[in-house]
Amino acid sequence: MSQITKKKVHILTTVLLLVVVPLAVILEAILPVRLLQKWELKAIDGLMRLRPPEKPDQRLLIVEATENDLQKYGYPISNDKLTELIEKLEQYQPKVIGVNILREQELKNRHNLIYTCNHRLGNDPNSPGNPPPQGVPKEYIGFSDVIEDSDGVVRRHLLFMKPEATSPCQTPLSFSFQLAAYYLNTQGIEPETTLEGYTKLDKTILKKLTANTWKSKLLTWTNVLEFVTTPLNSSTGVYGNEDLGGYQLLLNYRYTQEKELLKELLLNRC
């Protein structure tokens, strides 16, 4: 990105924050939450898009199974084919591998694999949940449930949640947390809890999403908003009337991340 383009983005961001945010604060004080929620969610999206690109994290690799891959190798992918893929990945000595595909059986002789399952959601017949592979210790299982906002967009992430007694998935830890915790453990870093009840990984504090998060988040983005000091109550803010059960975070979408295709790996083209 050129210096001129960066300067334009900075000017545009400043204008948006100086005009749009104070207006949102005023409107939020006089209008019901539901009337503003859609507009505020779009404002979050706009601010996310204004961020400059981030370099790919060299510690991460995503292997994508496309629709063409599923037509070629079948769905669900067989244990033999998945084992073949993991053996190719292990040539690069990964600390941990996450299998974000529901499986009935574990892959044998694999000590660094994290598997996934889905929670049962109440009495919803469309969300009965899915169990993890049989015989896998709970330390290697994480749930992959996601939360959609009222407009169908995923902006929040569940880190922890208490499973229902009847759920086939009984882990309280998310798939993403299990992967991160396993990797960090190899680096000598263990999860901690702060006095405020937040989860801490090394120097990073994962602040739980509350009804106050939107305003607090804005305050960290720019000093322009430092004049906004009155805390929100439980009925205000973007997520004031949403279910914030469990331990939820606002997602920090990366602009880019390297991917490899399943077919390319299996055909030794990577």
Side-chain angles (χ1 to χ4, degrees):
M1 185 181 294
S2 68
Q3 292 298 321
I4 295 177
T5 303
K6 288 181 179 179
K7 186 174 181 180
K8 288 181 178 179
V9 170
H10 176 73
I11 293 173
L12 178 58
T13 303
T14 302
V15 171
L16 282 173
L17 291 171
L18 285 172
V19 176
V20 176
V21 175
L23 179 60
V25 173
I26 294 171
L27 291 176
E28 190 171 329
I30 61 177
L31 293 178
V33 173
R34 292 294 182 184
L35 296 180
L36 285 175
Q37 185 181 48
K38 183 177 180 180
W39 184 86
E40 289 177 317
L41 290 175
K42 295 301 181 184
I44 295 176
D45 298 340
L47 289 170
M48 282 288 185
R49 295 189 187 100
L50 286 173
R51 298 186 310 164
E54 297 180 71
K55 294 181 180 179
D57 190 327
Q58 297 302 317
R59 297 170 298 179
L60 302 177
L61 175 67
I62 298 173
V63 179
E64 178 182 11
T66 65
E67 187 63 34
N68 289 337
D69 292 330
L70 298 181
Q71 291 179 5
K72 178 178 178 62
Y73 299 111
Y75 182 82
I77 298 174
S78 69
N79 274 7
D80 288 343
K81 190 60 65 177
L82 196 55
T83 298
E84 180 184 348
L85 171 64
I86 289 173
E87 287 176 348
K88 291 182 181 296
L89 291 175
E90 287 184 336
Q91 296 174 14
Y92 302 96
Q93 299 180 329
K95 300 294 185 184
V96 61
I97 298 175
V99 183
N100 194 15
I101 304 174
L102 293 169
R103 313 296 301 173
E104 292 184 356
Q105 297 178 335
E106 67 173 317
L107 302 176
K108 297 186 181 299
N109 302 321
R110 304 296 175 204
H111 66 282
N112 63 339
L113 296 187
I114 303 296
Y115 296 90
T116 188
C117 60
N118 295 126
H119 285 295
R120 176 184 177 88
L121 301 180
N123 296 317
D124 185 354
N126 297 317
S127 300
N130 299 98
Q134 295 180 1
V136 176
K138 63 180 181 180
E139 293 82 7
Y140 297 94
I141 299 171
F143 66 79
S144 58
D145 302 76
V146 297
I147 307 171
E148 289 187 355
D149 285 340
S150 56
D151 57 359
V153 177
V154 177
R155 298 183 184 88
R156 293 175 283 161
H157 180 63
L158 263 174
L159 205 61
F160 315 126
M161 70 178 293
K162 182 179 179 180
E164 296 187 9
T166 57
S167 175
C169 177
Q170 282 296 306
T171 178
L173 306 176
S174 67
F175 178 72
S176 58
F177 181 81
Q178 289 284 59
L179 281 171
Y182 191 105
Y183 170 78
L184 292 173
N185 180 262
T186 66
Q187 309 301 306
I189 299 173
E190 295 283 351
E192 302 176 60
T193 302
T194 68
L195 294 176
E196 298 82 8
Y198 294 135
T199 296
K200 181 181 179 182
L201 296 169
D202 198 17
K203 298 179 181 180
T204 301
I205 297 176
L206 304 176
K207 291 191 175 182
K208 181 179 179 181
L209 181 61
T210 69
N212 299 337
T213 300
W214 176 228
K215 187 169 291 184
S216 299
K217 197 72 173 179
L218 282 174
L219 282 167
T220 65
W221 284 355
T222 175
N223 291 333
V224 173
L225 301 172
E226 287 184 351
F227 69 92
V228 184
T229 57
T230 305
L232 301 174
N233 57 51
S234 61
S235 63
T236 59
V238 175
Y239 293 118
N241 288 340
E242 297 291 343
D243 180 2
L244 298 180
Y247 197 108
Q248 300 182 28
L249 306 176
L250 278 174
L251 281 170
N252 178 27
Y253 279 105
R254 296 189 68 86
Y255 183 85
T256 181
Q257 182 58 49
E258 290 183 346
K259 292 183 181 180
E260 298 291 354
L261 297 180
L262 174 66
K263 178 178 66 176
E264 300 295 317
L265 280 169
L266 290 176
L267 294 178
N268 291 318
R269 294 179 183 174
C270 300

